[in-house]
Amino acid sequence: MGLAREVRLPKGKELSTISRSSKKQVPYTEMDYNNTATKLVLITKKSIENPQEKFTSLAYLLNEEYLFDCYRELKKDKAAGIDGMRLEDYTEEDIRREIAETVARMKTKRYRPKPVRRVYIRERKDKLRPLGIPAIIDKVVQLGIKKILEAIFEPHFLDSSYGFRPNRSCHQALKAVYQTAMAKPVNWIIDADIKGFFDNVDHYWMIECLNQRINDPSYRSLIIKFLKAGVIEEGKYYETEKGTPQGGVLSPILANIYLHYILDLWFEKVEKQRIRGYATEIRYADDFIITAQTKPEAERILQDLKERLEKFGLELSKDKTRIIEFGRYAQENSKNRGKRKPDTFDFLGFTHYCSKSRKGNFLLKAKTSRKKFNKRIKELNQWLRATRNMLKTEDIWKALTLKLTGHYNYYGISGNSSSIQTYYYWTLLLTFKWLNRRSQKQSFNWEQFTEHLKRYPLPKPALVYNLYDSW
């Protein structure tokens, strides 16, 4: 079974579908190369050529020049960690000194990441998402660790995984959904949601996943320290016994490694062998769907999925996980059961629904989900309200241009013209509304506003991603 072999682990725990490692190890300390980037390329090559071997010497790669290159890759204008320092607050001399001290502490096993600063962002009225903001120097070290992990694990991630991977995107995942529904015998969809995934990653199993390719205690210890660094919230320290904080540089790659072993490989090498019909998984980070050919097979997969995740400290959300009929026969079957329309499902901010082409054939379509659309409109309204008296009109126009372009770049997919047109019109209406509330005197009437738009047009709705291969 290759990567799907079983391994025996201590304390009676099992981790199926993780590969049995070879006795042969892969040391890298003897290399004459000074450039860590070059060594990462060689590590990737070795990882591909020897998929069952473990890497025994990695921590030494986190040298001063490598970490300084990582520092230069970090984005500016980001929130500060618990030390209150942002990227812009460091001079080159400051950061080089900080990196040198950090490397020295790592060599003597004295490096301890600072706890992350917990903040919350509102996803909807009744839900807040926690984010963990690391200190700058910890972000630098995390990025260094992340790039090494990617060099080792990325070549072995399955094609069904799209999230937070080089040269992969949300649009590619959406296209995979379209192509699967259109070309494969898909009749049922398991719309799955892992409850609080990032907050519930089991640290024991996370380390066991890393152990499948890594046998460097010093490097592994650094990752454990980040997992156990703790959280500061409203001035109070909280230990982290499980989870990997969203907001950290390291969290996405750790999530992909975790789900690669406990979900992707299991589904591909074990679950698909148990069923007779067609089934596939499409995953973006912790957001995924599974297709099935028949309802009994969909029900079996869902039950097996629940049991599988429970072994590793995760559970499916009862409210958000469901099986729906979806595909070329869904419309006819829905009518026969007295339903006006077949069910839909949301994935990556789009509502996917059954439709028909001009010739009357089945066609999967996707539109901006109502929840995401309403959220974007609310955010735009709040921004205009807050900045109308702070910015000049030309600065508001520049910002609106960026916001509209960003919206079209994501939501401008084949078949979604109506949604992005509606977003454009709402933008105009809200802009007109708040510009006229800058003072007691009206700034624009509608005719003047439209004349201003002619002279200084905002970006018109445009489709930028071809989902249907028809352009």
Side-chain angles (χ1 to χ4, degrees):
M1 294 282 288
L3 286 175
R5 290 176 179 172
E6 303 278 336
V7 294
R8 294 180 181 178
L9 297 172
K11 301 179 183 178
K13 294 191 174 185
E14 98 179 281
L15 185 59
S16 58
T17 75
I18 289 188
S19 59
R20 193 191 306 275
S21 61
S22 166
K23 293 182 180 179
K24 185 178 178 182
Q25 307 294 313
V26 186
Y28 280 96
T29 50
E30 73 277 6
M31 287 185 176
D32 287 329
Y33 300 95
N34 293 321
N35 188 290
T36 298
T38 301
K39 295 177 185 179
L40 293 181
V41 173
L42 295 175
I43 287 174
T44 298
K45 185 172 183 290
K46 284 290 184 182
S47 182
I48 294 171
E49 292 173 350
N50 305 284
Q52 292 187 351
E53 293 179 0
K54 293 187 179 183
F55 294 81
T56 61
S57 185
L58 297 169
Y60 84 101
L61 294 169
L62 299 166
N63 57 55
E64 291 182 33
E65 285 305 313
Y66 171 59
L67 291 181
F68 183 71
D69 287 341
C70 291
Y71 162 78
R72 292 193 294 189
E73 290 182 31
L74 294 179
K75 295 180 180 179
K76 295 183 178 181
D77 300 320
K78 298 294 182 181
I82 63 167
D83 58 0
M85 296 290 287
R86 300 195 306 161
L87 198 69
E88 299 88 322
D89 298 327
Y90 286 91
T91 65
E92 182 174 332
E93 182 182 356
D94 291 337
I95 196 63
R96 283 193 178 275
R97 182 173 60 251
E98 186 85 22
I99 287 173
E101 293 173 357
T102 299
V103 170
R105 289 197 298 271
M106 285 193 287
K107 288 179 178 178
T108 56
K109 309 291 193 284
R110 293 184 296 110
Y111 171 67
R112 295 288 184 276
K114 296 179 176 66
V116 298
R117 181 172 70 90
R118 174 163 285 174
V119 297
Y120 291 89
I121 58 173
R122 186 170 295 279
E123 285 192 330
R124 55 178 188 263
K125 289 184 179 180
D126 60 338
K127 184 178 180 181
L128 295 173
R129 174 188 289 183
L131 295 181
I133 311 299
I136 292 297
I137 190 63
D138 294 333
K139 279 187 179 180
V140 171
V141 177
Q142 283 191 33
L143 181 56
I145 293 172
K146 167 185 175 285
K147 292 166 76 169
I148 296 170
L149 289 175
E150 277 187 348
I152 297 169
F153 288 96
E154 171 63 30
H156 304 287
F157 290 155
L158 303 189
D159 288 341
S160 59
S161 167
Y162 292 87
F164 305 111
R165 296 181 59 189
N167 303 315
R168 296 209 138 203
S169 67
C170 294
H171 289 139
Q172 290 174 323
L174 293 167
K175 193 161 192 171
V177 174
Y178 170 78
Q179 292 175 334
T180 301
M182 294 299 295
K184 302 297 182 181
V186 172
N187 298 311
W188 298 86
I189 297 282
I190 302 171
D191 183 12
D193 182 270
I194 299 177
K195 187 176 180 181
F197 169 75
F198 284 93
D199 295 329
N200 290 294
V201 169
D202 187 290
H203 289 176
Y204 172 86
W205 291 119
M206 182 75 258
I207 297 306
E208 287 300 325
C209 290
L210 294 170
N211 285 346
Q212 305 314 302
R213 300 307 310 275
I214 295 171
N215 194 25
D216 178 349
S218 297
Y219 181 80
R220 191 170 52 215
S221 175
L222 283 173
I223 298 175
I224 294 172
K225 287 176 181 178
F226 277 109
L227 291 172
K228 303 290 187 183
V231 170
I232 297 290
E233 183 176 349
E234 295 182 350
K236 188 175 181 180
Y237 173 79
Y238 297 89
E239 292 184 353
T240 47
E241 295 301 324
K242 61 180 181 178
T244 173
Q246 295 183 73
V249 178
L250 200 51
S251 292
I253 183 65
L254 292 180
N256 271 338
I257 293 169
Y258 198 76
L259 289 171
H260 170 70
Y261 285 114
I262 73 164
L263 176 59
D264 299 348
L265 279 179
W266 165 80
F267 183 78
E268 186 67 26
K269 302 294 184 180
V270 178
E271 189 65 13
K272 287 175 74 170
Q273 308 305 315
R274 295 173 178 169
I275 59 177
R276 300 180 63 181
Y278 177 82
T280 194
E281 174 209 8
I282 299 170
R283 179 175 68 81
Y284 191 94
D286 62 324
D287 193 3
F288 67 98
I289 63 165
I290 294 175
T291 71
Q293 191 166 350
T294 68
K295 188 175 183 179
E297 287 175 341
E299 291 172 340
R300 173 171 183 171
I301 291 171
L302 181 56
Q303 183 58 38
D304 292 345
L305 178 63
K306 289 177 181 178
E307 295 173 2
R308 175 69 179 177
L309 293 178
E310 285 175 2
K311 289 182 181 179
F312 303 101
L314 300 173
E315 64 175 307
L316 292 172
S317 171
K318 294 180 180 178
D319 298 331
K320 298 180 181 178
T321 300
R322 61 196 179 122
I323 296 174
I324 66 167
E325 186 174 13
F326 195 93
R328 60 188 69 253
Y329 306 113
Q331 284 185 319
E332 183 179 347
N333 291 340
S334 294
K335 287 182 180 179
N336 293 338
R337 289 196 296 269
K339 291 180 63 177
R340 190 170 67 90
K341 292 181 179 179
D343 290 329
T344 65
F345 67 93
D346 286 357
F347 184 59
L348 299 181
F350 291 87
T351 297
H352 299 257
Y353 61 100
C354 298
S355 185
K356 289 185 178 181
S357 67
R358 293 179 181 178
K359 295 182 179 180
N361 299 324
F362 167 70
L363 181 64
L364 178 147
K365 285 190 176 183
K367 61 183 178 181
T368 309
S369 75
R370 182 176 298 179
K371 181 174 70 174
K372 293 295 183 182
F373 183 87
N374 291 340
K375 181 181 178 182
R376 297 289 178 268
I377 293 298
K378 183 178 180 180
E379 289 172 349
L380 178 64
N381 187 57
Q382 291 174 339
W383 179 81
L384 285 165
R385 180 181 182 181
T387 60
R388 71 189 191 276
N389 291 317
M390 297 169 56
L391 299 177
K392 296 179 180 179
T393 302
E394 53 265 34
D395 293 327
I396 291 176
W397 242 245
K398 290 177 183 178
L400 288 174
T401 296
L402 293 175
K403 289 178 182 294
L404 284 168
T405 302
H407 190 86
Y408 303 154
N409 284 343
Y410 186 78
Y411 291 102
I413 66 170
S414 306
N416 197 32
S417 297
S418 178
S419 291
I420 61 174
Q421 285 276 1
T422 304
Y423 183 82
Y424 172 75
Y425 289 131
W426 268 104
T427 301
L428 299 186
L429 291 172
L430 291 173
T431 303
F432 176 72
K433 168 188 172 181
W434 288 113
L435 286 181
N436 278 316
R437 297 192 182 184
R438 299 174 87 170
S439 64
Q440 292 182 349
K441 185 178 178 181
Q442 190 179 48
S443 300
F444 284 111
N445 60 36
W446 186 253
E447 287 184 6
Q448 292 170 330
F449 182 69
T450 54
E451 283 298 318
H452 188 79
L453 279 173
K454 289 177 183 178
R455 294 177 62 188
Y456 306 101
L458 291 171
K460 295 290 183 65
L463 300 181
V464 298
Y465 191 80
N466 183 5
L467 199 66
Y468 299 156
D469 289 327
S470 58
W471 299 357

